[in-house]
Amino acid sequence: MRYISQLIILCLFLTFYSGYAQHTVVSNQISGMANKPAWWKEAVVYQLYPRSFKDSDGDGVGDLKGIISKLDYLKSLGIDAVWLNPIFSSPNDDNGYDISDYRNIMKEFGTMQDFDELLAGLHKRNIKLILDMVLNHSSDEHEWFKQSKSSRTNPYRNYYHWWPEEKGKPTPRYSFFDVNNDAWKYDAATKSYYLHYFSQKQPDLNWENEKLRNEVYDMMKFWLDKGIDGLRMDAFQYAAKDTTWKKYPEGYEKNIIKYYGMGPNLHNYLKEMNKTVIRKYNVMTVAEGAGSTLEDAHALVDEDRNELNMAYHFEIMDIGNDPKGYKLTDLKKTFTKWDNSFADNGWLAIFLANHDVPRMVSKFGNDSPEFRRYSSKLLTTLIMTMRGTPFYFNGDELGMSNIKFDAIEDYRDIATINAYKNIKAKGEDIKAFMDKQKFISRDNTRTPFQWNDTANAGFTTGKPWIKVNPNYKMVNVAAEEKDPDSELSYFKKIVALRKASPVLVYGAYQVFDIENPDVYCYTRSNGKDKMLVILNFSGKAISYSLNKDIDTASAEVLINNYAKAALKQNQIKLLPWQSIVYKIN
Ligand code: NOJ
């Protein structure tokens, strides 16, 4: 939670200083490297949260065999690649983002044989596999850390960051998940503190150590040699620390990416990694987090940098975290600002949800029974019609929504649980905290995938590790597969449309009427084809005048989340949360 709230504060800062384009029409021209074709630009990536997807053995936890049993479902979606959250051995302090053995599969998830079968099954269906590389930190149960903490002279000592007690208290550093937000944990055995930006069980690796770097590169090769197709670089922007340990100004934690991100040697490490490992394989790489400026992001992903392929930035994630709502203009300006900046060089990932944020329909749409279906399809339309590689979170294709737990006992996420303890210890407003969690907790997206209307939504025959959203009786794959108007059917249609339309991948983006508070209207064009996207982000019917430069004479509806589209010349009557994509001249 603190992690997320820091990001929200950061966004406000960026929003204030970045100077959004104020023009009515903002356009990106087609030119430069951004249009150089690549499979990873054309792919639709489906993020699959293994812990909650499908349990095959009744222990209440999703597993690889469960995914294997659903390969045909994945194929039916029409997606090109699956990104799996970490599947490596882990004590699960942070659901797999604390790895104790990078070369093995988490026991609850299965075996290496299962992994090989999964990879082969995906490839047989022409689906690529992206793995999550957690390289900023390991688990404290990793052999490296066990060795490292055993003595000050152990050869693994410098695999992590230690501060000897005799130097006094270490310079304060903020931890996202620590109950007291203290990133230094004292270890009595060697009378030293170790650094952990995340939980106490996630010590930060010391990237200054060449031996560590080489071990990591070998490990990466191990997985790439198995034939995986891509890597998602978890929190890697924090990997390079300023080890002079200078004091940061008061309140620095409100602007954490500025202080922790893009450290002194980060680009050297990435260039070395690229040269030693990545370049040797035809794989895609995506950075989680991209610094705090557009320039930071470009430095990671521009083609001539030879570092990573694309990045997802946090600015979109930081919009919509206030239960009272958000301004559509902020969303439009943020997408537009980033698209403009990446029109010529570099590439972005496009997403509205993942396992670290709430469900997209609850956050950016309207999850009431009246509008959930429409708004969820509208958001899917936005993701699938923007420039950039779509990263689509599992369950959103069904219109899954936030679970909104009442009791702290129902939460499983260390971020929520430790923030709760922190608030309680400080005597702050627990009710306000709990209300906010219903809206922002990461557990909202982590509930079991809803397969059908049988017990536990068909996710497990046992007791699920986290409660199933009670709306599974209505929102589930079995019901939606039968319904041609379901969110799932819509998702398949729009993925097919994107796959058949190079203009939706490479075409220039032009936004109209950016100050309109309800309607998001833009075109995508490549000189040959042109598409018009109109999204009514409100629960009211709207009569909307299109910009006179948009030629609708031969407009043809390609996809619509209602049965009707009422366009006459440049006037359109939009129904609540209506989204339409037209082919135009
Ligand atoms: C980002 C991951 O997406 C998140 O789930 C995790 O808690 C942190 N990095 C730490 O690995």
Side-chain angles (χ1 to χ4, degrees), residues 334-362:
T334 305
F335 269 123
T336 302
K337 179 181 89 172
W338 282 82
D339 186 272
N340 277 347
S341 176
F342 282 78
D344 287 333
N345 203 351
W347 193 255
L348 294 172
I350 302 291
F351 70 105
L352 288 175
N354 60 35
H355 63 293
D356 287 335
V357 291
R359 283 282 170 193
M360 71 174 187
V361 72
S362 303

mmCIF file of all heavy atoms in Angstrom, residues 334-362:
data_model
loop_
_atom_site.group_PDB
_atom_site.id
_atom_site.type_symbol
_atom_site.label_atom_id
_atom_site.label_comp_id
_atom_site.label_asym_id
_atom_site.label_seq_id
_atom_site.Cartn_x
_atom_site.Cartn_y
_atom_site.Cartn_z
ATOM 1 N N THR A 334 -2.053 12.055 -20.125
ATOM 2 C CA THR A 334 -0.910 11.192 -19.813
ATOM 3 C C THR A 334 -0.623 10.257 -20.990
ATOM 4 O O THR A 334 0.524 10.140 -21.440
ATOM 5 C CB THR A 334 -1.181 10.398 -18.524
ATOM 6 O OG1 THR A 334 -1.506 11.332 -17.507
ATOM 7 C CG2 THR A 334 0.036 9.602 -18.096
ATOM 8 N N PHE A 335 -1.666 9.605 -21.505
ATOM 9 C CA PHE A 335 -1.438 8.735 -22.677
ATOM 10 C C PHE A 335 -0.848 9.552 -23.828
ATOM 11 O O PHE A 335 0.072 9.113 -24.520
ATOM 12 C CB PHE A 335 -2.750 8.091 -23.136
ATOM 13 C CG PHE A 335 -3.019 6.746 -22.491
ATOM 14 C CD1 PHE A 335 -4.181 6.500 -21.780
ATOM 15 C CD2 PHE A 335 -2.099 5.709 -22.617
ATOM 16 C CE1 PHE A 335 -4.433 5.255 -21.197
ATOM 17 C CE2 PHE A 335 -2.342 4.457 -22.042
ATOM 18 C CZ PHE A 335 -3.515 4.238 -21.331
ATOM 19 N N THR A 336 -1.370 10.745 -24.022
ATOM 20 C CA THR A 336 -0.945 11.564 -25.165
ATOM 21 C C THR A 336 0.501 12.030 -24.993
ATOM 22 O O THR A 336 1.303 11.977 -25.929
ATOM 23 C CB THR A 336 -1.899 12.763 -25.320
ATOM 24 O OG1 THR A 336 -3.229 12.248 -25.495
ATOM 25 C CG2 THR A 336 -1.523 13.624 -26.517
ATOM 26 N N LYS A 337 0.808 12.452 -23.797
ATOM 27 C CA LYS A 337 2.181 12.915 -23.544
ATOM 28 C C LYS A 337 3.191 11.793 -23.835
ATOM 29 O O LYS A 337 4.183 12.010 -24.517
ATOM 30 C CB LYS A 337 2.306 13.350 -22.076
ATOM 31 C CG LYS A 337 3.698 13.823 -21.705
ATOM 32 C CD LYS A 337 3.776 14.214 -20.246
ATOM 33 C CE LYS A 337 4.136 13.050 -19.381
ATOM 34 N NZ LYS A 337 4.400 13.416 -17.986
ATOM 35 N N TRP A 338 2.890 10.589 -23.336
ATOM 36 C CA TRP A 338 3.833 9.483 -23.532
ATOM 37 C C TRP A 338 3.865 9.044 -24.994
ATOM 38 O O TRP A 338 4.921 8.755 -25.545
ATOM 39 C CB TRP A 338 3.496 8.320 -22.586
ATOM 40 C CG TRP A 338 3.976 8.617 -21.196
ATOM 41 C CD1 TRP A 338 3.334 9.380 -20.258
ATOM 42 C CD2 TRP A 338 5.217 8.215 -20.602
ATOM 43 N NE1 TRP A 338 4.103 9.459 -19.115
ATOM 44 C CE2 TRP A 338 5.253 8.752 -19.300
ATOM 45 C CE3 TRP A 338 6.300 7.448 -21.026
ATOM 46 C CZ2 TRP A 338 6.331 8.545 -18.426
ATOM 47 C CZ3 TRP A 338 7.373 7.230 -20.157
ATOM 48 C CH2 TRP A 338 7.383 7.787 -18.878
ATOM 49 N N ASP A 339 2.710 9.015 -25.634
ATOM 50 C CA ASP A 339 2.701 8.618 -27.038
ATOM 51 C C ASP A 339 3.495 9.609 -27.877
ATOM 52 O O ASP A 339 4.298 9.230 -28.729
ATOM 53 C CB ASP A 339 1.274 8.473 -27.574
ATOM 54 C CG ASP A 339 1.313 7.920 -28.986
ATOM 55 O OD1 ASP A 339 1.422 8.731 -29.928
ATOM 56 O OD2 ASP A 339 1.290 6.690 -29.168
ATOM 57 N N ASN A 340 3.260 10.894 -27.630
ATOM 58 C CA ASN A 340 3.999 11.926 -28.378
ATOM 59 C C ASN A 340 5.496 11.736 -28.239
ATOM 60 O O ASN A 340 6.250 11.833 -29.205
ATOM 61 C CB ASN A 340 3.660 13.319 -27.846
ATOM 62 C CG ASN A 340 2.379 13.852 -28.443
ATOM 63 O OD1 ASN A 340 1.862 13.305 -29.408
ATOM 64 N ND2 ASN A 340 1.851 14.907 -27.861
ATOM 65 N N SER A 341 5.900 11.468 -27.031
ATOM 66 C CA SER A 341 7.334 11.385 -26.788
ATOM 67 C C SER A 341 7.956 10.151 -27.450
ATOM 68 O O SER A 341 9.137 10.151 -27.777
ATOM 69 C CB SER A 341 7.581 11.376 -25.280
ATOM 70 O OG SER A 341 8.934 11.205 -25.034
ATOM 71 N N PHE A 342 7.130 9.099 -27.620
ATOM 72 C CA PHE A 342 7.677 7.854 -28.166
ATOM 73 C C PHE A 342 7.304 7.622 -29.632
ATOM 74 O O PHE A 342 7.430 6.516 -30.143
ATOM 75 C CB PHE A 342 7.256 6.665 -27.284
ATOM 76 C CG PHE A 342 8.086 6.598 -26.031
ATOM 77 C CD1 PHE A 342 7.836 7.453 -24.972
ATOM 78 C CD2 PHE A 342 9.160 5.727 -25.935
ATOM 79 C CE1 PHE A 342 8.627 7.433 -23.831
ATOM 80 C CE2 PHE A 342 9.958 5.702 -24.803
ATOM 81 C CZ PHE A 342 9.690 6.552 -23.752
ATOM 82 N N ALA A 343 6.877 8.699 -30.294
ATOM 83 C CA ALA A 343 6.458 8.542 -31.692
ATOM 84 C C ALA A 343 7.628 8.169 -32.592
ATOM 85 O O ALA A 343 7.462 7.465 -33.581
ATOM 86 C CB ALA A 343 5.813 9.823 -32.179
ATOM 87 N N ASP A 344 8.807 8.650 -32.272
ATOM 88 C CA ASP A 344 9.945 8.453 -33.160
ATOM 89 C C ASP A 344 10.921 7.384 -32.706
ATOM 90 O O ASP A 344 11.590 6.762 -33.501
ATOM 91 C CB ASP A 344 10.730 9.769 -33.306
ATOM 92 C CG ASP A 344 9.967 10.742 -34.171
ATOM 93 O OD1 ASP A 344 9.182 10.271 -35.017
ATOM 94 O OD2 ASP A 344 10.135 11.961 -33.979
ATOM 95 N N ASN A 345 11.056 7.228 -31.430
ATOM 96 C CA ASN A 345 12.060 6.280 -30.945
ATOM 97 C C ASN A 345 11.593 5.700 -29.629
ATOM 98 O O ASN A 345 10.945 6.381 -28.839
ATOM 99 C CB ASN A 345 13.404 6.997 -30.758
ATOM 100 C CG ASN A 345 14.581 6.037 -30.813
ATOM 101 O OD1 ASN A 345 14.390 4.808 -30.816
ATOM 102 N ND2 ASN A 345 15.776 6.571 -30.841
ATOM 103 N N GLY A 346 11.950 4.440 -29.426
ATOM 104 C CA GLY A 346 11.537 3.770 -28.193
ATOM 105 C C GLY A 346 10.149 3.179 -28.349
ATOM 106 O O GLY A 346 9.455 3.417 -29.346
ATOM 107 N N TRP A 347 9.751 2.401 -27.373
ATOM 108 C CA TRP A 347 8.454 1.712 -27.458
ATOM 109 C C TRP A 347 7.916 1.531 -26.055
ATOM 110 O O TRP A 347 8.696 1.371 -25.097
ATOM 111 C CB TRP A 347 8.656 0.352 -28.139
ATOM 112 C CG TRP A 347 7.374 -0.312 -28.569
ATOM 113 C CD1 TRP A 347 6.769 -1.372 -27.964
ATOM 114 C CD2 TRP A 347 6.555 0.026 -29.694
ATOM 115 N NE1 TRP A 347 5.621 -1.704 -28.645
ATOM 116 C CE2 TRP A 347 5.465 -0.873 -29.715
ATOM 117 C CE3 TRP A 347 6.639 0.995 -30.697
ATOM 118 C CZ2 TRP A 347 4.457 -0.829 -30.688
ATOM 119 C CZ3 TRP A 347 5.643 1.034 -31.666
ATOM 120 C CH2 TRP A 347 4.563 0.133 -31.660
ATOM 121 N N LEU A 348 6.579 1.558 -25.937
ATOM 122 C CA LEU A 348 5.978 1.453 -24.600
ATOM 123 C C LEU A 348 5.064 0.242 -24.499
ATOM 124 O O LEU A 348 4.570 -0.264 -25.501
ATOM 125 C CB LEU A 348 5.153 2.712 -24.299
ATOM 126 C CG LEU A 348 5.931 4.013 -24.182
ATOM 127 C CD1 LEU A 348 4.969 5.189 -24.078
ATOM 128 C CD2 LEU A 348 6.874 3.986 -22.975
ATOM 129 N N ALA A 349 4.837 -0.178 -23.276
ATOM 130 C CA ALA A 349 3.804 -1.174 -22.993
ATOM 131 C C ALA A 349 2.556 -0.401 -22.578
ATOM 132 O O ALA A 349 2.652 0.621 -21.905
ATOM 133 C CB ALA A 349 4.269 -2.075 -21.863
ATOM 134 N N ILE A 350 1.399 -0.882 -23.020
ATOM 135 C CA ILE A 350 0.130 -0.225 -22.677
ATOM 136 C C ILE A 350 -0.655 -1.139 -21.746
ATOM 137 O O ILE A 350 -0.855 -2.319 -22.051
ATOM 138 C CB ILE A 350 -0.716 0.029 -23.955
ATOM 139 C CG1 ILE A 350 0.054 0.895 -24.959
ATOM 140 C CG2 ILE A 350 -2.073 0.652 -23.598
ATOM 141 C CD1 ILE A 350 0.263 2.331 -24.548
ATOM 142 N N PHE A 351 -1.101 -0.605 -20.639
ATOM 143 C CA PHE A 351 -1.865 -1.439 -19.699
ATOM 144 C C PHE A 351 -2.713 -0.547 -18.809
ATOM 145 O O PHE A 351 -2.439 0.639 -18.646
ATOM 146 C CB PHE A 351 -0.907 -2.268 -18.826
ATOM 147 C CG PHE A 351 -0.141 -1.430 -17.840
ATOM 148 C CD1 PHE A 351 -0.489 -1.437 -16.494
ATOM 149 C CD2 PHE A 351 0.890 -0.608 -18.243
ATOM 150 C CE1 PHE A 351 0.187 -0.641 -15.585
ATOM 151 C CE2 PHE A 351 1.564 0.196 -17.336
ATOM 152 C CZ PHE A 351 1.219 0.174 -16.014
ATOM 153 N N LEU A 352 -3.746 -1.139 -18.236
ATOM 154 C CA LEU A 352 -4.549 -0.406 -17.249
ATOM 155 C C LEU A 352 -4.603 -1.157 -15.930
ATOM 156 O O LEU A 352 -5.159 -0.651 -14.958
ATOM 157 C CB LEU A 352 -5.972 -0.170 -17.774
ATOM 158 C CG LEU A 352 -6.112 0.861 -18.908
ATOM 159 C CD1 LEU A 352 -7.551 0.907 -19.413
ATOM 160 C CD2 LEU A 352 -5.691 2.252 -18.450
ATOM 161 N N ALA A 353 -4.097 -2.372 -15.910
ATOM 162 C CA ALA A 353 -4.110 -3.126 -14.651
ATOM 163 C C ALA A 353 -3.000 -4.152 -14.662
ATOM 164 O O ALA A 353 -2.492 -4.531 -15.722
ATOM 165 C CB ALA A 353 -5.442 -3.828 -14.460
ATOM 166 N N ASN A 354 -2.634 -4.574 -13.483
ATOM 167 C CA ASN A 354 -1.752 -5.720 -13.303
ATOM 168 C C ASN A 354 -1.951 -6.196 -11.866
ATOM 169 O O ASN A 354 -2.899 -5.768 -11.199
ATOM 170 C CB ASN A 354 -0.294 -5.377 -13.658
ATOM 171 C CG ASN A 354 0.271 -4.261 -12.797
ATOM 172 O OD1 ASN A 354 -0.057 -4.143 -11.616
ATOM 173 N ND2 ASN A 354 1.111 -3.425 -13.374
ATOM 174 N N HIS A 355 -1.048 -7.043 -11.390
ATOM 175 C CA HIS A 355 -1.224 -7.630 -10.049
ATOM 176 C C HIS A 355 -0.874 -6.645 -8.930
ATOM 177 O O HIS A 355 -0.942 -7.010 -7.767
ATOM 178 C CB HIS A 355 -0.334 -8.865 -9.944
ATOM 179 C CG HIS A 355 1.120 -8.497 -10.072
ATOM 180 N ND1 HIS A 355 1.653 -8.014 -11.256
ATOM 181 C CD2 HIS A 355 2.117 -8.472 -9.170
ATOM 182 C CE1 HIS A 355 2.928 -7.726 -11.056
ATOM 183 N NE2 HIS A 355 3.230 -7.987 -9.803
ATOM 184 N N ASP A 356 -0.452 -5.435 -9.273
ATOM 185 C CA ASP A 356 -0.056 -4.454 -8.248
ATOM 186 C C ASP A 356 -1.086 -3.347 -8.063
ATOM 187 O O ASP A 356 -0.854 -2.416 -7.286
ATOM 188 C CB ASP A 356 1.276 -3.794 -8.635
ATOM 189 C CG ASP A 356 2.446 -4.738 -8.448
ATOM 190 O OD1 ASP A 356 2.343 -5.659 -7.625
ATOM 191 O OD2 ASP A 356 3.465 -4.553 -9.135
ATOM 192 N N VAL A 357 -2.157 -3.426 -8.814
ATOM 193 C CA VAL A 357 -3.166 -2.365 -8.757
ATOM 194 C C VAL A 357 -4.549 -3.032 -8.726
ATOM 195 O O VAL A 357 -4.654 -4.228 -8.922
ATOM 196 C CB VAL A 357 -3.038 -1.416 -9.971
ATOM 197 C CG1 VAL A 357 -1.779 -0.589 -9.897
ATOM 198 C CG2 VAL A 357 -3.085 -2.176 -11.281
ATOM 199 N N PRO A 358 -5.595 -2.276 -8.487
ATOM 200 C CA PRO A 358 -6.925 -2.897 -8.489
ATOM 201 C C PRO A 358 -7.404 -3.255 -9.886
ATOM 202 O O PRO A 358 -6.734 -2.964 -10.878
ATOM 203 C CB PRO A 358 -7.809 -1.823 -7.858
ATOM 204 C CG PRO A 358 -7.064 -0.561 -7.948
ATOM 205 C CD PRO A 358 -5.616 -0.866 -8.089
ATOM 206 N N ARG A 359 -8.570 -3.869 -9.969
ATOM 207 C CA ARG A 359 -9.169 -4.230 -11.255
ATOM 208 C C ARG A 359 -9.454 -2.980 -12.079
ATOM 209 O O ARG A 359 -9.956 -1.984 -11.547
ATOM 210 C CB ARG A 359 -10.474 -4.993 -11.028
ATOM 211 C CG ARG A 359 -10.264 -6.428 -10.621
ATOM 212 C CD ARG A 359 -9.911 -7.278 -11.814
ATOM 213 N NE ARG A 359 -9.478 -8.610 -11.415
ATOM 214 C CZ ARG A 359 -8.875 -9.457 -12.254
ATOM 215 N NH1 ARG A 359 -8.606 -9.112 -13.502
ATOM 216 N NH2 ARG A 359 -8.519 -10.638 -11.835
ATOM 217 N N MET A 360 -9.193 -3.065 -13.381
ATOM 218 C CA MET A 360 -9.346 -1.857 -14.205
ATOM 219 C C MET A 360 -10.782 -1.352 -14.238
ATOM 220 O O MET A 360 -11.016 -0.146 -14.252
ATOM 221 C CB MET A 360 -8.811 -2.070 -15.619
ATOM 222 C CG MET A 360 -9.624 -2.973 -16.499
ATOM 223 S SD MET A 360 -8.954 -2.972 -18.189
ATOM 224 C CE MET A 360 -10.208 -3.940 -19.033
ATOM 225 N N VAL A 361 -11.752 -2.277 -14.216
ATOM 226 C CA VAL A 361 -13.138 -1.804 -14.317
ATOM 227 C C VAL A 361 -13.564 -1.080 -13.044
ATOM 228 O O VAL A 361 -14.371 -0.141 -13.095
ATOM 229 C CB VAL A 361 -14.105 -2.965 -14.677
ATOM 230 C CG1 VAL A 361 -14.311 -3.915 -13.502
ATOM 231 C CG2 VAL A 361 -15.442 -2.422 -15.141
ATOM 232 N N SER A 362 -13.006 -1.470 -11.908
ATOM 233 C CA SER A 362 -13.355 -0.797 -10.643
ATOM 234 C C SER A 362 -12.637 0.539 -10.528
ATOM 235 O O SER A 362 -13.104 1.448 -9.855
ATOM 236 C CB SER A 362 -12.968 -1.671 -9.451
ATOM 237 O OG SER A 362 -13.588 -2.928 -9.551
#
